[in-house]
Amino acid sequence: MDRFIGRVGTFLLLFGIAIAVFTYWPVIMQEIAYGKHQKDIEKEQKLPPSLRTIPTPIQADFSIVIPKINANSPIIADVDATDSKVYQYALTKGVAHARGSALPGEEGNSFLFSHSSADFFLATRYNSIFYLLAKLIPGDLIYIYRSGRRYTFQVSAVKTVQPKDTSYMEKGSGAESTLTLMTCWPPGTDFMRKIVLSNLVEETHYP
């Protein structure tokens, strides 16, 4: 009996470890990739924005590129951020653009979100584009491609907020164009929200 209980305990331990590895594998892989390119990233960050290398977007119709964290993803437009089934499906296709927020480059605030999972088991079912969002700091650049234009946003602030704080989702007013990125934090949970705020600094034709 003792031997049986011991084997069950060992199995449950190994099963728990396997679940943890499975859940956080995307995070682990992205951290490894980020570490490998850290020197290149630091070198790029020292260059003026006009001289930095800009990766080719995965598609030019509507997408986001964040060189520092190697994020390159389509953006799914007009996603209902209040309907879990709708936005979880959208997140299997790319980063979601919240319905009601401005489109990038338009006046007001554009709100994009990714990896909004409800528990550990859902985390790897959806893309992990924003897993490394916390690596961003003020001054980092974010590129949005939409309808033949490239919009360059510069990070102004990175915050961790409570789930009930939705003030960052407001569309905003006036002529300023801003971009807000959001992901659940820590990765694989929905305890908090990691928010990245940025401002439009350049608009150009693409390609």
Side-chain angles (χ1 to χ4, degrees), residues 71-186:
N72 194 336
S73 171
I75 298 174
I76 311 304
D78 198 33
V79 176
D80 186 349
T82 66
D83 190 324
S84 177
K85 290 183 178 179
V86 170
Y87 70 67
Q88 294 289 15
Y89 176 74
L91 295 181
T92 67
K93 307 297 181 182
V95 170
H97 162 259
R99 177 178 298 172
S101 71
L103 287 168
E106 292 183 348
E107 294 180 4
N109 181 51
S110 177
F111 178 66
L112 307 181
F113 62 101
S114 180
H115 176 229
S116 297
S117 58
D119 56 50
F120 290 94
F121 298 100
L122 285 174
T124 54
R125 290 180 57 191
Y126 307 110
N127 71 72
S128 56
I129 296 299
F130 285 175
Y131 268 140
L132 299 183
L133 213 59
K135 303 287 188 184
L136 298 181
I137 60 174
D140 287 336
L141 300 180
I142 300 168
Y143 301 96
I144 301 290
Y145 297 81
R146 182 173 70 85
S147 303
R149 309 287 290 177
R150 184 180 71 214
Y151 301 93
T152 303
F153 290 85
Q154 189 167 46
V155 175
S156 59
V158 180
K159 302 179 179 180
T160 302
V161 302
Q162 295 287 339
K164 292 183 179 180
D165 183 356
T166 59
S167 60
Y168 51 82
M169 294 179 65
E170 296 175 0
K171 186 172 182 178
S173 59
E176 186 178 16
S177 178
T178 60
L179 175 69
T180 299
L181 308 182
M182 186 276 285
T183 189
C184 292
W185 186 258

Side-chain angles (χ1 to χ4, degrees), residues 1-18:
M1 186 65 177
D2 290 341
R3 181 178 296 179
F4 174 75
I5 293 175
R7 288 178 177 176
V8 171
T10 300
F11 171 78
L12 292 176
L13 176 62
L14 293 175
F15 182 73
I17 293 173

Side-chain angles (χ1 to χ4, degrees), residues 27 30 54 126 195 205:
V27 183
Q30 289 204 29
I54 305 175
Y126 307 110
I195 305 297
H205 287 287

